[in-house]
Amino acid sequence: MDIKIGYIDTIAIVGYFVVMAVIGYICSRKNKSTEEYFVGGRSFGGWVIGLSLVGTSISSISFLAYPADSFKTSWIRYLPNIALPIAVLIASRTFLKFFRDKRTTSAYQFLEARFGTSIRIYATMAFIVAESIRLGIVLYLTSLIVHELTGLPIDLCIIVAGGFVSIYTIVGGIDAVIWTDVLQTLVLVGGGILCLAMVVAKVPGGIAEVFRVGLENNKFSFSENINGTLQNLDFFGPLSEKTIFMLILVGFTTWMTSYSSNQNIIQRYCATRDLKETKKAMWVCVWSSLPIWAFFMFLGTALFAFFHHFPTEETQQILAGERKAEQVLPFFIINYLPSGVTGIVIAATLAAAMSSLDSGINAISTVSVVDIYKRVFVTKKADKHYLKAAWFFASLASVVMIGGALIISHTDTNTLQDTGLILASVVSGGMLGIYILGFFTKIRGVRSVWAGIATTLSFTVWTVLSSKDLLPDAISFRYDLYYTTIFGNLIMFFVGFGVYNIFFKSKSEVLEEDIDSETQRQEKVYN
């Protein structure tokens, strides 16, 4: 076993773990109820929640993918983020007040109040499946990075990193998740700043040379690498090609989905002390995330300028597509950072992952208890019983996460990751469309929504099979898969809306389990 880090680096990494453990222990002493464990007693200020949202949205994938993209191609990956302020503006003026006024704990309580229990259970299960897949992939990719940086066995990296984040999340609840996310955001940014400072210091001519080389090689553009040549994107174009408008629209759809229905986000809404602080948190996240993402894009451009002056065989292979672009930052860290700084940057890599992993574990635990266990199976127990159930489901989510990452590490990773991402997209497709039906229409019928879900799932499966050339040409239509999320939500909305208006609008459609008025149903759901 070839250990690549020194004692100073080890001390920095251990110090980071110790601080996380202390935060988890302190927060565990507060968790005497599910209200504290799930939403922190609804007592947090906007700045804290805002920075926590930043940490949740920036995973280790982003920490590596943004520099990788701008190193090899351009700033194209930044385009979807431009839509974030628009999505947050809409969410803060439409969805937010409802979630706050109802003292919501789960994003999916709303769906039962509007459409019935079956839609709530479907959305909850879709979230659990998609989030479990995402957690396993993020943990594996993070552990792979740590393995490359340290030389430790990949399985050991998975068990240690996954086990540690699981422990402080299980015992500390949402309080530990939020406070560690804040610290992890600062560590993440600090690690990136150290990397950039080292790159700029080594480039002849400094930051001015970075801009010169970047501009000369079209690195600050919105371009796509086609057959080794950077080609600027058109604003509009055919569905088979990426365009500027398409990427912004994809970003808008993604962010709208997150801020209307993603449990990781909705849970943060509910953890603030009032509506004003929640809005502050959302805008703190926006105006922090945009420059942070741009910073990591610029780091990749700076790395391109550095290796333009000091080319290596490895980086030339990355530019030629013979190696993965995500290897460029780890390669620089291993070979060019001094001892001590390397440890801090590895801690930043771990921070980027843990801020996503802890949020996912806690979110799965929350919806498992609130939306399924307490709502369907065990409905009238003391709060202490549900708190113990929350610990159990958090532990189960952690086991699934670690087990999934271990399976990936011993499998054809490209195939398994691809399959996992496809499965996640299939089960969670059209979620924004469901919430738009709930917030902006008067549809009440469960059958109309199920018609939309069935059609959306069928469309997603057809899209995947078409992209894999598994269908006859006569019924196959290929387009850039980035469009799938847009089309899926449009289909969900229009099918649900159309079926209701054609078949059920003139009838008094009764929900499957409910003959009470809508007001009574909502009281049952939220109380």
Side-chain angles (χ1 to χ4, degrees), residues 325 351 391:
W391 296 338

Side-chain angles (χ1 to χ4, degrees), residues 467-484:
S467 69
K468 301 294 182 182
D469 295 321
L470 297 176
L471 295 177
D473 290 339
I475 59 171
S476 179
F477 178 73
R478 296 176 184 82
Y479 58 89
D480 196 297
L481 293 181
Y482 272 63
Y483 282 107
T484 304

Side-chain angles (χ1 to χ4, degrees), residues 1-10 13 143-153 157 314 323 327 330-343 346:
M1 182 172 61
D2 180 23
I3 304 298
K4 300 178 182 179
I5 60 174
Y7 292 111
I8 299 177
D9 300 316
T10 303
I13 296 169
S143 302
L144 184 61
I145 299 161
V146 175
H147 161 70
E148 292 178 357
L149 293 174
T150 64
L152 295 172
C157 294
E314 291 83 356
R323 285 174 176 252
Q327 293 178 314
F331 178 77
F332 179 82
I333 293 169
I334 293 170
N335 294 283
Y336 296 94
L337 291 186
S339 182
V341 176
T342 301
I346 293 174

Side-chain angles (χ1 to χ4, degrees), residues 436-505:
I436 291 176
L437 283 172
F439 276 103
F440 298 111
T441 75
K442 295 182 179 180
I443 288 178
R444 294 182 56 197
V446 66
R447 286 176 287 180
S448 305
V449 180
W450 271 115
I453 292 172
T455 307
T456 303
L457 292 178
S458 299
F459 163 77
T460 307
V461 171
W462 170 75
T463 297
V464 171
L465 294 177
S466 293
S467 69
K468 301 294 182 182
D469 295 321
L470 297 176
L471 295 177
D473 290 339
I475 59 171
S476 179
F477 178 73
R478 296 176 184 82
Y479 58 89
D480 196 297
L481 293 181
Y482 272 63
Y483 282 107
T484 304
T485 182
I486 299 171
F487 293 155
N489 283 296
L490 289 174
I491 289 171
M492 177 67 239
F493 175 80
F494 283 112
V495 171
F497 187 76
V499 167
Y500 174 78
N501 281 279
I502 294 171
F503 296 104
F504 302 120
K505 186 176 182 179

Side-chain angles (χ1 to χ4, degrees), residues 194-216:
L194 282 175
C195 277
L196 181 61
M198 293 294 173
V199 174
V200 172
K202 294 175 182 291
V203 172
I207 196 165
E209 180 65 4
V210 172
F211 277 100
R212 188 195 69 78
V213 172
L215 290 169
E216 187 178 273

